[in-house]
Amino acid sequence: QSALTQPASVSGSPGQSITISCTGTSSDVGSYNLVSWYQQHPGKAPKLMIYEVNDRPSGVSNRFSGSKSAYTASLTISGLQAEDEADYYCCSYAGGNTHVFGTGTKVTVL
Amino acid sequence: QVQLQESGPGLVKPSETLSLTCTVPGATKSNYYWNWIRQPPGKGLEWIGYFFYTGTINYKSSLKSRVTISMDTSNNQFSLKVNSVTAADTAVYYCARGIHPQKAFDIWGLGTMVTVSS
């Protein structure tokens, strides 16, 4: 199980939209609609932002949305705010009741 | 809101066993999957494995030979043991709840830092 591939960093100005990609293989992202996204501020635990590709847990802003095409999942943050500056990780079901995380993306709000 | 709390030694010597616990009130009778996930300093997250109250356990294949996850029903705790540790096992270790073995982790503990060093 190799880690899913994410860009190391993505940046945007307040109010803009950014998209983070998460590329896997036919063994994980490509085979299951079971991709989740986590936000992690420095020194804090990860927080679930998106599950099953495009569903949001209660309490998560609708500025966060997810999608998937073939082997690549994406997280879009609309109306970027200063509080969105954090690390973001994707995670996919990888068969056999196992999971694989992405390499992580640092989002910077300019 | 369910609170997860990891605990254990912050320093372990190389070749020894790392032991952590996660306390979750009611965990032993709940229909959730209790996972361990770790994060080396400055690096990404790695799923280690899970325990389900029926006794079903699953591990990441590359760690399977060194890892044991179990549950102490009397104390509402589930535990992680990693044998023969090296510096590569230095990480923040998180426990996290899953509602299904294939789905997302919806609640996380605060994490506990474990350093492997002599």
Side-chain angles (χ1 to χ4, degrees):
Chain A
Q1 291 171 340
S2 297
L4 308 175
T5 300
Q6 299 180 232
S9 62
V10 173
S11 61
S13 298
Q16 287 187 330
S17 293
I18 62 169
T19 297
I20 303 168
S21 62
C22 169
T23 301
T25 69
S26 60
S27 297
D28 37 63
V29 176
S31 289
Y32 309 99
N33 288 325
L34 293 168
V35 176
S36 51
W37 289 89
Y38 302 86
Q39 176 192 66
Q40 186 179 36
H41 287 108
K44 301 295 186 182
K47 174 187 175 184
L48 178 64
M49 304 301 284
I50 295 287
Y51 65 97
E52 292 173 42
V53 176
N54 56 14
D55 286 332
R56 276 187 312 276
S58 174
V60 172
S61 171
N62 59 8
R63 297 186 298 104
F64 292 85
S65 61
S67 63
K68 194 191 90 166
S69 177
Y71 300 153
T72 298
S74 299
L75 174 72
T76 297
I77 309 175
S78 304
L80 197 61
Q81 298 180 1
E83 67 206 48
D84 301 331
E85 187 161 291
D87 293 328
Y88 291 82
Y89 292 91
C90 61
C91 181
S92 175
Y93 178 65
N97 288 344
T98 65
H99 302 262
V100 59
F101 281 95
T103 51
T105 298
K106 181 177 181 59
V107 168
T108 300
V109 181
L110 301 171
Chain B
Q1 176 78 335
V2 175
Q3 301 283 338
L4 308 186
Q5 180 64 63
E6 305 90 346
S7 60
L11 182 65
V12 181
K13 290 183 168 56
S15 80
E16 296 190 344
T17 296
L18 177 162
S19 295
L20 298 174
T21 59
C22 179
T23 301
V24 186
T28 56
K29 298 180 181 179
S30 62
N31 211 22
Y32 295 109
Y33 290 78
W34 302 101
N35 297 265
W36 286 100
I37 295 163
R38 69 181 181 180
Q39 184 174 34
K43 297 188 178 181
L45 299 163
E46 178 183 32
W47 177 79
I48 298 171
Y50 70 71
F51 183 96
F52 188 55
Y53 79 102
T54 58
T56 301
I57 306 171
N58 201 26
Y59 303 117
K60 180 177 181 177
S61 57
S62 61
L63 295 173
K64 192 172 185 176
S65 63
R66 297 195 299 125
V67 170
T68 303
I69 298 176
S70 60
M71 180 161 272
D72 179 351
T73 56
S74 62
N75 290 318
N76 283 315
Q77 294 179 330
F78 69 106
S79 67
L80 170 71
K81 293 187 187 299
V82 182
N83 300 324
S84 305
V85 297
T86 69
D89 295 308
T90 294
V92 175
Y93 284 77
Y94 295 100
C95 54
R97 189 181 81 171
I99 60 172
H100 186 280
Q102 301 177 1
K103 298 189 178 181
F105 313 111
D106 63 341
I107 296 176
W108 295 61
L110 297 178
T112 188
M113 179 69 200
V114 179
T115 300
V116 178
S117 175
S118 55

